[in-house]
Amino acid sequence: MKPTSGNAPDSLLKLENFLCFAIYSTANAVTRAYQPRLAVLGLTYPQYLVMVVLWERENQTVKSIGEKLSLDSGTLTPLLKRLESAGLITRRRDTVDERQVLIGLTDEGRAARRRAEAIPIAIGKAFGCTLGEANDLRAELITVRDNLIASIDKAK
Amino acid sequence: MKPTSGNAPDSLLKLENFLCFAIYSTANAVTRAYQPRLAVLGLTYPQYLVMVVLWERENQTVKSIGEKLSLDSGTLTPLLKRLESAGLITRRRDTVDERQVLIGLTDEGRAARRRAEAIPIAIGKAFGCTLGEANDLRAELITVRDNLIASIDKAK
DNA sequence: ACGCATTAAATTGCACACAATTAAATAGTG
DNA sequence: CACTATTTAATTGTGTGCAATTTAATGCGT
């Protein structure tokens, strides 16, 4: 009996064998699963991640948020402006180092945290796996992700 | 000794505990890792996935490609137009059912397959895990993904 | 203090994702 | 056959991601 796939050159280019596609399509599904729950808070999924980072610690720079989320200013600047005009965050230049922009929370942004706390529970159920399985999967993904990032950096 | 995270309401909203963020950030890393390798073929990562689907079988409808990749016409129509103007695919209305558009490969599109075959090997190395580990991870992700999709569909 | 490299955000341009709507063709029903 | 419902792509509009460039501020060596 042969393994799952056919002869070598063929099986390499089969979608169903792609770990990358499993990651890609799962990420899209995550965004779609979050969308209705975040819509009531007026947030998109990336905006929600930024809020989570700020709920952990207020007054971070754009760079600090970007490092935690692996996003650059090209993504964050317009996103943060939208959160600001939604009244959830504040943006102000650091007076000590005026290159930096400090992102803080408004009262409304702080208050949104309570309503957000129900979301991980609901999504956890939608994943359909135990907390233990989720943690194992998370750890494996982070290993793979950090390997990928290392290989990208090495190429530079 | 307490487990990894602090008290309950707090740990639920910690980025490092999020399976969803592990998925999201790994997917972004995948795209970045593919980018330099696909650039020599003149493809983006989603375009590469479409080509993989077409290399498996030519002359599929937009709908068929969309089902395989979980993408709708809003994403695919402009993407396919770009692949067409790049000379890799053909788009023509089905003469039997004129609602459908059949996507085929040009000689150049068919030829690109050979050059693409080296990519999964290189990316596989960048993942930094064994084939067996990659297959396990892929299977777990697909389970989670299909659970998520089922929960989305159920909500409708 | 001067000049140059470095750093942090913002900007620009392109390509997704996806919800919602539209347009056209086909299928199904009485 | 007429009529409505369904199906398939295309379109529209919003919000990411990210490469590349720009702008402004800081750091550093002489």
Side-chain angles (χ1 to χ4, degrees):
Chain A
M1 223 8 152
K2 280 203 171 186
T4 323
S5 44
N7 46 10
D10 196 56
S11 67
L12 280 177
L13 276 176
K14 276 196 177 305
L15 193 66
E16 61 173 31
N17 294 336
F18 282 11
L19 173 55
C20 66
F21 175 65
I23 296 165
Y24 163 85
S25 57
T26 306
N28 287 343
V30 164
T31 304
R32 291 197 299 272
Y34 267 96
Q35 195 275 329
R37 300 174 209 281
L38 290 176
V40 299
L41 293 177
L43 294 173
T44 64
Y45 181 68
Q47 288 169 8
Y48 165 71
L49 292 180
V50 168
M51 293 304 289
V52 168
V53 168
L54 290 170
W55 287 327
E56 288 182 5
R57 186 161 70 81
E58 293 194 32
N59 297 316
Q60 297 188 56
T61 62
V62 175
K63 180 182 169 62
S64 161
I65 297 170
E67 282 171 351
K68 281 165 182 136
L69 299 178
S70 292
L71 296 174
D72 67 8
S73 67
T75 300
L76 286 175
T77 296
L79 186 157
L80 291 168
K81 285 180 177 173
R82 280 188 280 271
L83 287 178
E84 184 185 33
S85 55
L88 295 172
I89 68 164
T90 58
R91 296 166 68 240
R92 63 175 202 281
R93 286 275 162 189
D94 186 335
T95 50
V96 178
D97 183 346
E98 293 207 341
R99 288 172 302 182
Q100 301 185 148
V101 169
L102 289 172
I103 309 297
L105 288 171
T106 62
D107 288 342
E108 193 183 338
R110 238 170 263 121
R113 180 182 175 149
R114 294 227 177 285
R115 296 201 287 158
E117 276 167 357
I119 296 176
I121 302 164
I123 295 292
K125 282 179 191 158
F127 278 133
C129 58
T130 67
L131 250 176
E133 289 168 342
N135 277 325
D136 291 349
L137 185 51
R138 182 172 51 73
E140 290 164 28
L141 278 169
I142 286 172
T143 301
V144 164
R145 181 194 67 190
D146 292 347
N147 286 341
L148 279 177
I149 291 171
S151 89
I152 296 167
D153 292 344
K154 200 164 52 184
K156 288 179 184 169
Chain B
M1 217 22 148
K2 281 202 168 183
T4 322
S5 44
N7 45 11
D10 196 58
S11 69
L12 279 176
L13 276 175
K14 276 196 177 304
L15 192 68
E16 61 174 32
N17 295 335
F18 282 10
L19 173 55
C20 65
F21 175 65
I23 296 165
Y24 163 86
S25 58
T26 306
N28 287 344
V30 164
T31 304
R32 291 197 300 273
Y34 266 96
Q35 195 275 329
R37 301 172 208 283
L38 290 174
V40 298
L41 293 176
L43 293 174
T44 64
Y45 180 69
Q47 288 169 8
Y48 165 72
L49 291 179
V50 168
M51 294 302 291
V52 168
V53 168
L54 290 170
W55 286 327
E56 287 181 7
R57 187 162 68 80
E58 291 195 33
N59 296 316
Q60 298 188 57
T61 62
V62 174
K63 179 183 170 61
S64 161
I65 296 170
E67 282 171 351
K68 280 166 184 138
L69 299 178
S70 293
L71 296 174
D72 66 8
S73 66
T75 302
L76 286 175
T77 296
L79 186 157
L80 291 167
K81 284 179 177 173
R82 280 188 282 271
L83 286 178
E84 184 186 35
S85 55
L88 294 172
I89 68 165
T90 58
R91 295 166 68 241
R92 63 175 203 281
R93 286 276 162 189
D94 186 334
T95 49
V96 178
D97 183 345
E98 293 207 340
R99 289 172 302 182
Q100 303 184 149
V101 169
L102 290 171
I103 309 297
L105 288 171
T106 63
D107 287 343
E108 192 183 339
R110 239 170 264 120
R113 177 180 178 149
R114 294 226 178 284
R115 295 201 287 156
E117 276 167 358
I119 296 178
I121 302 164
I123 294 292
K125 282 179 193 161
F127 277 133
C129 58
T130 67
L131 251 175
E133 288 168 342
N135 277 326
D136 291 347
L137 184 51
R138 182 173 51 75
E140 290 164 29
L141 278 169
I142 286 172
T143 301
V144 164
R145 181 193 68 190
D146 292 346
N147 287 341
L148 279 176
I149 291 171
S151 89
I152 297 166
D153 292 344
K154 200 165 50 181
K156 286 177 184 167

